[in-house]
Amino acid sequence: MEYPEFLMDHFQSPRNVGEIADADGTGIVKNATCGDIMQMSIKVKEDVIVDAKFKTFGCGAAIATSSIITEKVKGKGIKEALRISDETAKDILSQLSRDKFPCFTLAADALRLAIEEYYCNKQKIHDKGGIREEDLEKILP
Ligand code: FES
């Protein structure tokens, strides 16, 4: 399968690789198909994502998508970042065959978990138990 140039660029020169030491939220997800792992960490100030970094044992598709998403969500409010992240994954998928579907959604899933952790810490909720999308929509600015 041939990947578009913009994906190859992010795969060959990934941006925002690493981990934020004093992150406000961290999300870790596993690709159930291959077992690879993705970690996304975010720094948030006044509900705006000021930094986002990722680390993964994933494939080129996961690396490229993570690089793109971390670039796009910096400087965005959390609700907008969630929307951008999901739309970016869908947009990339729409340009490709779907044979690597989980690889392209790992970053968006990890970002969602990082935002959930941020929200739970902010609200001092210790039993996360999963926050529904509707709840995030209502609560986040
Ligand atoms: Fe494992 Fe893509 S093959 S993340």
Side-chain angles (χ1 to χ4, degrees), residues 25-141:
T26 300
I28 299 173
V29 291
K30 184 175 177 180
N31 184 335
T33 308
C34 65
D36 289 338
I37 292 175
M38 165 75 65
Q39 174 184 297
M40 184 80 67
S41 55
I42 55 172
K43 190 75 191 160
V44 183
K45 282 205 170 78
E46 296 178 7
D47 292 324
V48 171
I49 296 178
V50 293
D51 199 8
K53 292 194 183 300
F54 76 95
K55 289 198 318 194
T56 185
F57 288 108
C59 63
I63 292 169
T65 312
S66 308
S67 173
I68 292 167
I69 285 177
T70 50
E71 275 209 321
K72 285 189 169 193
V73 300
K74 279 199 220 176
K76 302 294 188 301
I78 345 189
K79 196 189 275 187
E80 188 183 5
L82 276 173
R83 182 184 56 74
I84 289 170
S85 167
D86 288 343
E87 283 179 8
T88 299
K90 282 182 198 153
D91 183 48
I92 292 170
L93 277 167
S94 73
Q95 298 179 50
L96 304 165
S97 71
R98 296 190 153 235
D99 65 335
K100 292 178 81 74
F101 177 81
C103 308
F104 287 106
T105 56
L106 272 184
D109 293 343
L111 178 67
R112 175 169 293 278
L113 288 181
I115 287 173
E116 282 186 13
E117 183 173 275
Y118 162 74
Y119 166 74
C120 288
N121 289 338
K122 183 179 173 182
Q123 300 294 321
K124 303 195 182 339
I125 298 170
H126 300 295
D127 176 21
K128 292 183 220 164
I131 298 173
R132 295 176 312 160
E133 187 159 349
E134 312 87 78
D135 294 334
L136 274 176
E137 287 292 318
K138 280 185 225 156
I139 295 161
L140 295 176

